[in-house]
Amino acid sequence: MSTPPDLLQINPPPRLLMGPGPINADPRVLRAMSAQLVGQYDPAMTAYMTETMGLYRQVFRTANEQTLLIDGTSRAGIEAAILSLVAPGDRVLVPVFGRFGHLLREIAERAGAEVHVIEREWGTVFTEREIEEAIVRVKPALLAVVHGDTSTTLAQPLEGLGELCAKHGVLFYTDVTASLAGNAFHADELGLDAVTAGLQKCLGGPSGSAPATFSAKAVERIESRKSIEAGIAGSSDEIRESRIRSNYFDLAMIFDYWGEKRLNHHTEATTMLYGARECARIIVEEGLDATIERHRMHGAAMLAGVQGLGLSVFGDPAAKMNNVVAVQIPDGVTGDAVRGEMLEDFGIEIGTSFGPLHGKVWRIGTMGYNARKDAVLTTLAALEQVLRRNGAAGAPGAAVEAAYGVYEGAGA
């Protein structure tokens, strides 16, 4: 029996991914990922691992020794950080202002933590005072905050929170999956103890590897829970009864795998490491400040373009991320129908949202490899035509003209 022709080879349709992520991977990243495998302890491989650590120290803007990759999507990074930092019964404070704050809450609950939540209406962010009042009241061991939440397209200001956590003896963790390299971020200056990310947004790669960095204080906490698995433990290694609740996400052992000991843990995902290394290499080559400015400029052009169509933007504009905008769906327009026409007729994907925003906004991203002029202008031109067919377009050419105004003002 012959194999059906459509099962012989993967051949995805051409798409311009202009949603909240994933985005089209940079071709240089895809080329790096096509390189041949080497053994996990080959000198070339361990050199790539060490180089990757150094590159991500520059991307996170940190001096942390423990800056490495967690093998898995950005959620794997979140789980590794929380499971390794939080013991059952520890108090964790999670400020929730969108979908992904709820995710941090659930992961902490699954780790056995006593989780306390403060909530903000979607479209707003917390003040420093609100978070401090909660820290004083809850007395948590860990403050876990999403930096940029793509469900609302807003970024929680982190300035001042590191000082609050240091003052009250609290570890400070943030998820920067949606914001890293597209928005200003400096792990050390912000006083962060743990930070995790993903490749599929502003870093310009595919989902599947989670860059992460941990301060000396976080490492001390994780090492205090260290237990080497029996099959590789030496005679002097302790096997604790109360261990980190995951073997795969046990950062104490992962640190030894990435460090000088090279203690066997899992087999490093070689192809993903190649891709993650190239994502960081490209940013360092461009210059991190230049990468952030590129996201700001193209994000501003996209914002001007949708506003040029007479569309309203959701959320506090002062807290908006550079790299994604939430556009309120006009009355009388079916949001999914517009998205479907954009995809079918133009090959362009834009996003919907979750929870209280489902069916109320489109989320349009300008990030990573897609934070470029032609992608922005093409998306705006297509959106205008689809809206016109649905009876909701503004003046002809207004979107592209408004975006051009941003580019001309920036000299681009």
Side-chain angles (χ1 to χ4, degrees):
M1 183 176 178
S2 62
T3 303
D6 60 346
L7 294 181
L8 290 177
Q9 188 178 55
I10 290 176
N11 187 28
R15 299 288 192 237
L16 178 59
L17 303 180
M18 298 298 286
I23 48 81
N24 299 92
D26 191 302
R28 291 170 289 182
V29 174
L30 297 179
R31 286 195 292 269
M33 294 179 71
S34 70
Q36 184 55 273
L37 306 183
V38 293
Q40 63 175 323
Y41 294 114
D42 189 295
M45 181 62 177
T46 54
Y48 292 146
M49 293 172 75
T50 300
E51 289 164 6
T52 301
M53 295 173 82
L55 287 165
Y56 276 100
R57 289 188 188 104
Q58 295 181 67
V59 174
F60 284 116
R61 287 181 162 155
T62 184
N64 291 339
E65 178 183 354
Q66 297 298 356
T67 302
L68 40 72
L69 304 177
I70 309 299
D71 286 339
T73 65
S74 52
R75 189 171 302 212
I78 297 169
E79 290 222 14
I82 292 177
L83 286 168
S84 296
L85 288 167
V86 175
D90 282 352
R91 290 185 181 182
V92 175
L93 174 63
V94 183
V96 175
F97 62 101
R99 175 197 168 180
F100 294 102
H102 288 293
L103 175 63
L104 300 191
R105 173 187 189 171
E106 177 172 327
I107 292 173
E109 287 173 342
R110 287 174 179 245
E114 179 188 317
V115 183
H116 296 256
V117 167
I118 53 175
E119 293 196 54
R120 265 285 201 162
E121 181 182 0
W122 288 28
T124 66
V125 293
F126 292 89
T127 65
E128 182 181 334
R129 181 176 179 180
E130 287 172 323
I131 294 176
E132 181 174 25
E133 288 174 349
I135 288 173
V136 171
R137 183 179 70 254
V138 173
K139 297 179 175 58
L142 177 73
L143 172 67
V145 185
V146 174
H147 182 215
D149 195 315
T150 51
S151 67
T152 65
T153 73
L154 300 189
Q156 170 61 48
L158 302 178
E159 290 76 13
L161 301 186
E163 290 85 346
L164 287 178
C165 288
K167 175 182 175 182
H168 295 284
V170 178
L171 289 170
F172 184 19
Y173 161 71
T174 189
D175 165 35
V176 296
T177 299
S179 55
L180 185 65
N183 303 266
F185 180 79
H186 196 308
D188 286 359
E189 284 188 3
L190 289 167
L192 280 149
D193 295 301
V195 186
T196 63
L199 303 184
Q200 72 272 22
K201 299 184 189 284
C202 301
L203 294 179
S207 178
S209 184
T213 187
F214 302 90
S215 73
K217 189 163 52 173
V219 171
E220 182 181 7
R221 167 62 172 158
I222 292 164
E223 295 281 1
S224 74
R225 305 181 67 204
K226 185 173 184 177
S227 179
I228 305 299
E229 63 183 81
I232 58 173
S235 58
S236 61
D237 290 324
E238 186 175 0
I239 301 175
R240 298 177 187 271
E241 290 185 10
S242 178
R243 292 171 284 189
I244 291 170
R245 288 195 164 191
S246 170
N247 178 289
Y248 187 69
F249 294 137
D250 186 329
L251 285 174
M253 288 197 288
I254 292 172
F255 290 164
D256 280 345
Y257 181 51
W258 279 78
E260 291 182 3
K261 290 183 179 179
R262 299 292 178 195
L263 184 66
N264 184 264
H265 185 245
H266 62 291
T267 300
E268 177 58 28
T270 308
T271 299
M272 286 307 309
L273 181 138
Y274 293 165
R277 178 185 178 278
E278 185 67 2
C279 287
R281 190 198 67 79
I282 290 168
I283 290 170
V284 170
E285 180 180 76
E286 181 180 16
L288 182 56
D289 288 337
T291 301
I292 293 169
E293 173 56 23
R294 174 167 57 85
H295 282 86
R296 188 209 62 77
M297 179 180 67
H298 293 299
M302 183 66 77
L303 174 62
V306 297
Q307 290 176 328
L309 284 172
L311 301 174
S312 298
V313 173
F314 173 80
D316 180 358
K320 179 191 169 297
M321 284 191 284
N322 289 332
N323 51 294
V324 61
V325 60
V327 181
Q328 294 186 8
I329 299 171
D331 292 339
V333 171
T334 302
D336 285 346
V338 168
R339 291 178 62 241
E341 288 183 42
M342 290 279 289
L343 190 67
E344 183 174 350
D345 297 339
F346 293 92
I348 298 173
E349 179 182 280
I350 61 174
T352 182
S353 193
F354 316 100
L357 295 183
H358 180 69
K360 296 181 179 180
V361 302
W362 296 305
R363 294 179 299 152
I364 305 176
T366 48
M367 58 184 87
Y369 181 66
N370 293 347
R372 61 183 201 270
K373 188 175 183 178
D374 65 301
V376 171
L377 297 179
T378 299
T379 301
L380 288 170
L383 179 60
E384 179 183 321
Q385 294 305 315
V386 172
L387 287 175
R388 177 166 288 109
R389 288 174 56 83
N390 284 267
V400 169
E401 189 62 29
Y404 267 128
V406 172
Y407 289 130
E408 290 167 0

